[in-house]
Amino acid sequence: MEKRSIIEILRHGQPEQTLPIEGWVRTKRELKGFAFVEVNDGSALANLQVVIPGEFPDYGELLKAIAIGASVAVSGSLQASQGKGQRLELIPTRFEVIGSSDPETYPLQKKRHTFEFLRDIGHLRSRTNTLGAVFRVRNACAWAIHQFFQSRGFLWVHTPIITTNDCEGAGELFRVTNLDLAHLPQTPAGGVDFSQDFFGKPAYLTVSGQLEAEVMALAFSQVYTFGPTFRAENSNTSRHLAEFWMVEPEMAFCDLIGNMDLAEDFLQFVFNHVLEHCSEDLEFFNQRIDNTVLATAENIVNHEFARITYTAAIGLLEKSDRSFNYPVAWGLDLQSEHERYLAEELFKKPVIVTDYPAEIKAFYMRLSDDGKTVAAMDILAPKIGEIIGGSQREERLDLLDQRIAAAQMPLEDLWWYRDLRRYGTVPHAGFGLGFERLVQFMTGMGNIRDVIPFPRTPLTAEF
């Protein structure tokens, strides 16, 4: 008999079919002459109920061996369920406990556990309804991202995890070294002599693949990255991770408007895909986590995003009757409370804010004709604030050099990046999306640590 996943059985199985299943016991309930065992294999939120009749061989010993958390292999025939809540149930002809579970010590009992508690048992938390639903949505998001870009002729490029540049200039990088930390070689001036290190210079875990993506876009026209990035920011908050995944498309012969159009299409495509393929999981989040999850997703899919300039956004914030914790003034960056006010209360849908002051944006963003702003864009989403940040890149070498100098970055460190402007430069643009931020937005989960399988945060690096 061909093994089928529980989600396939629940959706397409028919009474009298004979088939095997494998999974883990979620619940066991004993009645007079019957036992009901709920089995889950991770493919769906719902379990498949196995009804064991009292005349089953070695019935008493089998029930002793069946415990919550145990792994089992069952074969039998499907029957129309007599109970509520399920269409089908399985009547077994074979029931084998593969891996036992101690009911006295197994930490996932049939009750609600806090997410804080579940983070302490990260090796088991994926077996819960909530985390299982999160990671199915995460999988669907990842698949949709590849579908979106591949269907539009983008090349998926693998940018380096180890790098010698700081894309954002923020300095919050994890250093990669092969030096003996107990006996560091020193320069005559007393600093660390990195010429003796593995790469002969300081190296770091990447904070972004953007600069390398620009290299590839100026050969292949349309590329995207999708991989892990790292930020050594000592922030113990519900919004920050030290290791997270980024999606970063880069397009040659593209301006800011084309960049915004692609970003809007991208978000709508991914949300629509997840609505179609993870409807049960999203309904679960809507019932148990945040009752606006479905409405938010449908709002994304069915409405054009609002578009305003940074200057207009500042004007709207200044005119509002809200008392913000952070000041609002032209030249200051928008804080999360400002972004959420614009998206949640004023426009009630995602907002694309453009043309930010040059002083608060990165060196690679294209300087506008006014000399004060850059061709930047951020997409602000309800519930979460900024979800996408991007820009048209500065393709003019003389102006790029001015921006690098203003950022107090050595020109020689970016010689290769400057070469791209010497040899066949073109207008080009791109954006970055924090993948975990997207999953958090979709699911309504309150803490970003609960939308990645193995969160890395200050003082936390299990496994």
Side-chain angles (χ1 to χ4, degrees):
M1 290 182 291
E2 181 182 356
K3 184 176 70 173
R4 296 170 66 186
S5 66
I6 285 177
I7 192 170
E8 289 181 286
I9 295 169
L10 293 174
R11 288 178 176 175
H12 307 297
Q14 297 298 325
E16 308 306 326
Q17 276 186 297
T18 300
L19 44 77
I21 64 165
E22 295 168 344
W24 292 266
V25 174
R26 284 289 179 87
T27 66
K28 179 182 71 172
R29 185 164 51 98
E30 298 179 45
L31 299 178
K32 188 176 181 179
F34 286 94
F36 300 92
V37 179
E38 301 273 347
V39 179
N40 189 285
D41 65 357
S43 63
L45 184 66
N47 309 314
L48 180 61
Q49 180 170 273
V50 180
V51 182
I52 309 175
E55 61 269 20
F56 197 84
D58 299 318
Y59 178 78
E61 291 301 312
L62 178 62
L63 289 193
K64 290 179 184 178
I66 298 172
I68 296 175
S71 56
V72 297
V74 186
S75 298
S77 62
L78 292 175
Q79 301 293 334
S81 178
Q82 301 302 308
K84 296 179 180 180
Q86 65 269 335
R87 182 175 66 90
L88 297 167
E89 57 193 20
L90 186 68
I91 310 300
T93 55
R94 181 180 70 91
F95 197 116
E96 180 183 359
V97 176
I98 304 296
S100 62
S101 177
D102 183 355
E104 299 298 321
T105 60
Y106 186 61
L108 295 175
Q109 297 302 316
K110 191 180 178 182
K111 63 178 185 179
R112 285 201 176 188
H113 299 285
T114 67
F115 294 126
E116 291 80 4
F117 169 76
L118 293 177
R119 283 180 221 126
D120 290 335
I121 53 168
H123 58 303
L124 296 172
R125 69 174 186 162
S126 297
R127 300 187 189 185
T128 64
N129 285 340
T130 303
L131 275 297
V134 165
F135 298 136
R136 282 188 294 273
V137 169
R138 183 183 173 103
N139 171 73
C141 282
W143 180 243
I145 286 166
H146 285 298
Q147 279 190 311
F148 177 83
F149 288 117
Q150 293 292 329
S151 67
R152 285 159 175 76
F154 279 68
L155 185 78
W156 181 24
V157 298
H158 302 141
T159 52
I161 289 175
I162 299 174
T163 182
T164 58
N165 66 72
D166 177 4
C167 176
E168 300 297 332
E172 296 163 340
L173 300 100
F174 287 102
R175 190 179 296 279
V176 176
T177 183
N178 201 38
L179 293 174
D180 182 352
L181 299 183
H183 303 92
L184 291 173
Q186 293 187 328
T187 64
V192 177
D193 185 1
F194 285 104
S195 67
Q196 298 186 42
D197 207 349
F198 189 89
F199 296 105
K201 63 179 73 173
Y204 313 93
L205 296 180
T206 185
V207 300
S208 168
Q210 179 206 310
L211 300 188
E212 292 87 354
E214 288 187 53
V215 171
M216 300 300 283
L218 294 180
F220 295 97
S221 297
Q222 297 188 121
V223 303
Y224 71 104
T225 76
F226 189 6
T229 54
F230 309 85
R231 190 71 56 86
E233 185 176 5
N234 192 18
S235 294
N236 238 321
T237 76
S238 62
R239 290 169 50 85
H240 292 89
L241 291 167
E243 177 184 312
F244 53 98
W245 283 60
M246 286 283 288
V247 180
E248 297 176 294
E250 197 73 30
M251 297 78 67
F253 308 100
C254 182
D255 60 12
L256 184 64
I257 293 175
N259 200 27
M260 290 191 288
D261 291 344
L262 184 84
E264 182 171 341
D265 290 347
F266 167 75
L267 280 179
Q268 291 179 328
F269 181 94
V270 174
F271 267 88
N272 191 60
H273 178 90
V274 176
L275 279 168
E276 289 181 358
H277 293 85
C278 294
S279 57
E280 297 96 340
D281 292 317
L282 290 183
E283 183 62 43
F284 171 83
F285 291 119
N286 204 71
Q287 291 179 359
R288 299 292 186 90
I289 304 298
D290 179 348
N291 63 9
T292 67
V293 161
L294 288 175
T296 298
E298 288 161 1
N299 190 19
I300 295 282
V301 170
N302 297 322
H303 294 91
E304 290 186 0
F305 296 2
R307 299 187 182 190
I308 59 171
T309 65
Y310 166 89
T311 301
I314 292 295
L316 292 171
L317 292 167
E318 288 176 333
K319 292 175 184 176
S320 74
D321 56 2
R322 287 287 302 274
S323 177
F324 296 109
N325 294 321
Y326 290 91
V328 175
W330 202 98
L332 299 179
D333 208 353
L334 297 179
Q335 300 298 317
S336 179
E337 60 176 342
H338 308 141
E339 296 169 343
R340 292 187 60 176
Y341 170 78
L342 291 168
E344 290 175 29
E345 300 186 38
L346 204 57
F347 289 95
K348 300 185 183 340
K349 61 180 180 179
V351 183
I352 308 180
V353 180
T354 64
D355 304 299
Y356 283 78
E359 288 77 10
I360 62 173
K361 288 296 184 179
F363 71 92
Y364 51 75
M365 297 187 179
R366 193 180 198 275
L367 191 66
S368 303
D369 292 341
D370 60 16
K372 297 178 180 179
T373 61
V374 289
M377 66 101 176
D378 288 342
I379 297 185
L380 315 180
K383 305 283 186 184
I384 202 164
E386 182 194 337
I387 192 169
I388 281 179
S391 71
Q392 184 174 339
R393 317 309 190 189
E394 183 55 80
E395 86 279 10
R396 300 161 294 185
L397 180 60
D398 56 339
L399 293 177
L400 176 64
D401 284 349
Q402 291 177 25
R403 297 297 308 284
I404 293 173
Q408 298 182 327
M409 301 174 70
L411 285 175
E412 58 271 17
D413 289 353
L414 290 167
W415 62 271
W416 55 275
Y417 190 70
R418 297 172 66 242
D419 265 3
L420 299 176
R421 277 71 180 169
R422 286 195 179 96
Y423 309 123
T425 188
V426 298
H428 59 292
F431 61 82
L433 166 82
F435 185 52
E436 284 72 28
R437 193 72 65 86
L438 175 66
V439 178
Q440 190 180 5
F441 181 32
M442 277 193 175
T443 59
M445 295 293 288
N447 195 314
I448 201 167
R449 303 176 193 198
D450 298 324
V451 298
I452 188 170
F454 306 105
R456 297 290 183 255
T457 57
L459 303 181
T460 303
E462 299 294 338
F463 319 115

